[in-house]
Amino acid sequence: MSNNREKLFTEFEAPTTQEWLDKIQVDLKGADFNKRLVWRTNEGFSVPPFYRREDVEKLKTPDALPGEFPFVRGNKKDSNSWYVRQDIKVDDAKEGNAKALDVLSKGVDSLGFHFCGDCISAEFVETLLDGVKCDCVELNFCTCKRRSVDLAKILCAYFESKGYAKESIVGSIDWDPIEKIVMKGKDVTRLLPLASQLVDMFKDYPHFRCIAVNAASLNNAGAYIVQELGYALAWGHEYLSELVEAGVDPALAASKIKFNMGITENYFMEIAKFRAARLLWAEIVKQYEPKCDCACKMCVNATTTTYNMTMYDSYVNLLRTQTEAMSAALGGVHSISVVPFDAVYETPTDFSERIARNQQLLLKEESHFDKVVDPSAGSYFIEELTTSLADAAWKLFLKIEEQGGYLEAVKCGVVQDDVNTTNTKRHEDAAKRKEFILGTNQYPNFTEVSDGKSPLSCSCGCGSKHEDAPFKAITSTRLAADFEQLRLQTEHSGKVSTAFMLTIGSLAWRQARAQFSSNFLACAGYKIVDNLGFDTVEEGVDAAMKAGADIVVLCSSDDEYATFAVPAYNYLAGRAMFIVAGAPACMDELKAAGIENFIHVKCNVLETLREYNAKLGIK
């Protein structure tokens, strides 16, 4: 057998980039390449439809190996393992302990305890951690920022009393007072000097972090990926610079900062985000000249976002969180927390928490995502996305630094205004279906009812009372919240409004228009009655009245509306709301005949349905 290795297809000449472009232009038949095929992202840069080796050869991201500065390819050399984290809200230490021990036996190896500051005591911690092998599990604690130093003292004393080696303790305290300023507008600047105290307490615990950057809050408020990334870097640098100014060694300071970031449904962009985040943070820390490059490693806990989660058709949330968890795992994060699919409308059940855990376990045990370091490395697309995101986020970071740093920008409301503007735009885009929410504003479940469900409001979780907010705050609701409120309004009215599809004329057009109209009107929770077709408009209107229709939607072709619309409208004679599906050329003539309602792809779906509810007497 020959040992020669022949390259396949050597008889074919590889086309150049220009030849590809020329072929694409021919296939476009004169259409604009940039308008038809170039993706204009919300992140401030454009993405072409194809890449080649030459595009990657000019980039620096593929140069480093995994575990090497600037850690774009991950912090580890030998695996892509991450911690499977589950957060537990603790009101009673004994109950919290029982739940912790239970989930630890079901695949979780990272615990996140959330409890109010009034709970903190040595007895509380002793009970909470009873039976937990603290040197085998990652431990994370979130409590009132005013009481975090007290908690730190108790934890250190507990670890020492149990004889744990300090290097074996892995975990964090979620101490991030700046988050209170950003999200609530509260003035907690007086707590910032506590940072150096916390770092000093855990200076001998190399794997325990006590300063948090909760950029996930921005993610859950609707921030675009570049905004979350750029602000997270500025946020982390604010703490780093303050610690260094307080006399803390830069390497020690950097090693105590943990980033909590969100994950959106933008699959490939999220993979690139975590790679770009490590790259940029490493460069920032490097400027402080730490003795070892290991201080430049970024520790990220990634949590699936709640911004895109829905109350209706809530099992679709499983699809969202699954792809989100996949992108975070492939992006090489330290730990992942999957939000249970029902979290937006109820306290998660044992079932939903089990599913959330198993979503990660499937990635590990069946898909082996933890075996290969940086599996996306070398992908032309992801390498280019990583560089583009890094460039855009770096510009935002420098802009914030020029304004005096993250804290100053937050005090001036720059960050809050930016994120609030984005949130408003995304809600407007969702209202017009420029941004899809599957099961809510696109392809809703026609027959679903809330069955007593209602959206949960967010609570602080801190037992202390706060003064009036002197700073701007981020005000945000989930992307689906407006549509959910509309649908709940319909349900709670006690009236089942029926929308009847009067299909007539061209078979292809009437079916397409009926499907579009059914999805459009089902977003408000109306009962939909579709039909195969009618021979005359009179036959269709009679059938609608027999079905008790509150809305009659004429579904046909644009050309045929000139023939069918006015007779159907006149025959209906105001017995129900009349809608024409589409925006035909004869719209002005139809309006002159008294027809007011038209639904089409350019409609603001939310505002249109609110208007229809008002006309139907639904309040």
Side-chain angles (χ1 to χ4, degrees):
M1 183 181 290
S2 173
N3 291 325
N4 293 330
R5 293 187 176 182
E6 268 187 63
K7 290 186 176 180
L8 299 175
F9 308 117
T10 53
E11 66 270 28
F12 297 103
E13 184 177 348
T16 65
T17 299
Q18 188 57 51
E19 287 174 331
W20 274 112
L21 289 171
D22 291 342
K23 175 59 177 170
I24 290 171
Q25 201 59 60
V26 170
D27 291 343
L28 285 175
K29 299 178 181 179
D32 190 301
F33 172 84
N34 290 318
K35 288 183 178 179
R36 292 293 297 274
L37 296 180
V38 175
W39 173 27
R40 288 164 180 78
T41 71
N42 293 320
E43 317 309 326
F45 56 87
S46 296
V47 176
F50 73 98
Y51 294 96
R52 292 167 55 81
R53 182 188 297 273
E54 61 202 56
D55 296 311
V56 176
E57 288 175 345
K58 65 185 178 182
L59 304 179
K60 295 181 180 180
T61 51
D63 294 345
L65 293 174
E68 292 183 0
F69 183 89
F71 307 104
V72 64
R73 297 195 58 194
N75 294 338
K76 301 175 182 177
K77 295 182 179 181
D78 56 349
S79 76
N80 188 43
S81 182
W82 70 90
Y83 284 101
V84 177
R85 176 169 167 175
Q86 180 168 335
D87 293 333
I88 301 172
K89 185 178 179 182
V90 181
D91 296 316
D92 178 88
K94 192 171 183 179
E95 292 177 1
N97 171 259
K99 184 165 186 175
L101 295 175
D102 179 56
V103 301
L104 286 174
S105 67
K106 296 176 178 176
V108 166
D109 54 9
S110 175
L111 298 171
F113 294 112
H114 294 248
F115 46 85
C116 69
D118 295 338
C119 294
I120 295 174
S121 68
E123 294 75 19
F124 178 84
V125 171
E126 182 86 28
T127 303
L128 185 63
L129 299 180
D130 183 34
V132 176
K133 303 297 183 182
C134 299
D135 53 352
C136 300
V137 180
E138 186 189 44
L139 298 172
N140 304 279
F141 303 89
C142 180
T143 190
C144 177
K145 312 314 170 192
R146 294 173 172 83
R147 299 293 310 278
S148 292
V149 172
D150 296 333
L151 175 62
K153 292 177 181 177
I154 293 170
L155 286 174
C156 288
Y158 178 81
F159 296 146
E160 290 180 13
S161 69
K162 297 297 181 180
Y164 290 117
K166 293 180 179 179
E167 61 272 12
S168 69
I169 300 298
V170 181
S172 68
I173 288 181
D174 190 339
W175 186 83
D176 183 12
I178 292 180
E179 182 189 19
K180 284 290 184 184
I181 306 176
V182 179
M183 301 306 297
K184 303 294 183 182
K186 306 295 185 182
D187 185 2
V188 292
T189 52
R190 63 187 179 279
L191 299 179
L192 294 176
L194 297 178
S196 58
Q197 295 182 40
L198 284 166
V199 170
D200 185 63
M201 289 181 197
F202 290 105
K203 64 182 178 181
D204 296 326
Y205 290 80
H207 305 298
F208 198 94
R209 298 178 182 251
C210 51
I211 309 295
V213 173
N214 286 315
S217 297
L218 306 182
N219 185 292
N220 287 328
Y224 289 136
I225 290 175
V226 160
Q227 290 175 315
E228 182 193 10
L229 179 53
Y231 290 138
L233 294 168
W235 199 333
H237 184 245
E238 183 70 38
Y239 284 130
L240 179 60
S241 61
E242 287 191 10
L243 287 169
V244 172
E245 288 177 9
V248 179
D249 178 74
L252 176 62
S255 70
K256 295 304 173 189
I257 298 175
K258 185 173 188 176
F259 289 79
N260 295 309
M261 303 183 74
I263 327 165
T264 70
E265 72 283 357
N266 200 333
Y267 184 72
F268 293 108
M269 195 82 78
E270 286 291 344
I271 296 174
K273 179 184 80 175
F274 293 116
R275 300 175 89 243
R278 286 192 299 272
L279 166 69
L280 296 178
W281 181 247
E283 295 290 353
I284 290 171
V285 177
K286 188 71 170 178
Q287 301 309 306
Y288 286 85
E289 301 180 350
K291 296 177 182 178
C292 177
D293 282 347
C294 61
C296 301
K297 292 181 180 180
M298 185 187 210
C299 180
V300 178
N301 170 61
T303 305
T304 58
T305 187
T306 57
Y307 188 73
N308 63 8
M309 296 184 83
T310 61
M311 184 187 77
Y312 285 97
D313 214 353
S314 60
Y315 288 111
V316 178
N317 292 333
L318 293 171
L319 304 180
R320 300 182 177 105
T321 55
Q322 189 64 59
T323 62
E324 290 163 8
M326 288 170 65
S327 56
L330 295 177
V333 300
H334 172 79
S335 59
I336 301 175
S337 178
V338 174
V339 178
F341 72 88
D342 57 348
V344 297
Y345 60 84
E346 67 180 358
T347 300
T349 63
D350 290 341
F351 171 73
S352 66
E353 289 183 339
R354 174 192 173 194
I355 294 295
R357 288 191 299 270
N358 288 348
Q359 286 180 264
Q360 290 195 62
L361 297 179
L362 283 170
L363 297 182
K364 278 192 171 186
E365 305 302 330
E366 296 194 22
S367 302
H368 306 298
F369 276 30
D370 58 333
K371 298 296 188 292
V372 181
V373 180
D374 193 22
S376 59
S379 162
Y380 302 162
F381 179 45
I382 295 179
E383 295 289 4
E384 186 72 32
L385 280 183
T386 300
T387 300
S388 297
L389 272 175
D391 290 342
W394 189 248
K395 290 177 183 177
L396 180 57
F397 170 77
L398 293 179
K399 178 182 176 182
I400 295 300
E401 291 300 303
E402 290 170 0
Q403 295 176 354
Y406 189 72
L407 181 59
E408 190 60 34
V410 167
K411 287 181 177 179
C412 294
V414 172
V415 176
Q416 296 91 319
D417 287 343
D418 193 22
V419 175
N420 284 336
T421 298
T422 297
N423 174 56
T424 299
K425 180 183 182 302
R426 293 189 67 180
H427 275 267
E428 291 173 352
D429 286 347
K432 299 173 184 177
R433 293 206 285 199
K434 291 182 178 179
E435 183 165 350
F436 290 158
I437 315 169
L438 186 63
T440 298
N441 73 349
Q442 187 75 321
Y443 305 118
N445 185 336
F446 292 10
T447 60
E448 184 180 10
V449 293
S450 63
D451 196 24
K453 295 187 296 187
S454 61
L456 293 179
S457 59
C458 179
S459 60
C460 173
C462 177
S464 302
K465 294 183 179 180
H466 298 292
E467 64 279 4
D468 293 335
F471 302 116
K472 288 184 178 180
I474 288 179
T475 55
S476 174
T477 56
R478 285 179 299 106
L479 196 58
D482 296 332
F483 280 94
E484 290 170 356
Q485 183 181 20
L486 175 72
R487 195 159 176 173
L488 286 171
Q489 181 188 56
T490 303
E491 281 190 37
H492 295 163
S493 68
K495 176 183 179 182
V496 180
S497 297
T498 300
F500 186 93
M501 303 297 122
L502 199 168
T503 50
I504 191 171
S506 168
L507 178 63
W509 274 107
R510 77 192 188 201
Q511 288 182 333
R513 289 266 164 80
Q515 183 180 43
F516 171 83
S517 302
S518 296
N519 281 306
F520 190 110
L521 297 171
C523 292
Y526 301 152
K527 178 183 177 182
I528 305 299
V529 178
D530 199 357
N531 297 281
L532 296 177
F534 298 96
D535 294 329
T536 65
V537 293
E538 290 80 8
E539 180 186 348
V541 170
D542 289 341
M545 294 299 95
K546 186 176 180 181
D550 302 282
I551 301 171
V552 176
V553 185
L554 183 64
C555 302
S556 190
S557 66
D558 284 358
D559 293 338
E560 291 172 305
Y561 282 140
T563 302
F564 294 133
V566 174
Y569 173 72
N570 290 334
Y571 186 70
L572 185 61
R575 289 176 287 172
M577 184 190 302
F578 185 73
I579 298 175
V580 172
C586 61
M587 184 184 292
D588 289 339
E589 289 83 350
L590 300 184
K591 287 182 178 180
I595 300 173
E596 300 177 345
N597 305 306
F598 298 83
I599 55 176
H600 45 82
V601 293
K602 294 184 179 180
C603 280
N604 184 313
V605 179
L606 184 65
E607 290 303 318
T608 301
L609 293 175
R610 283 173 174 168
E611 177 185 336
Y612 289 173
N613 265 8
K615 289 181 177 180
L616 294 169
I618 297 174
K619 299 180 180 179

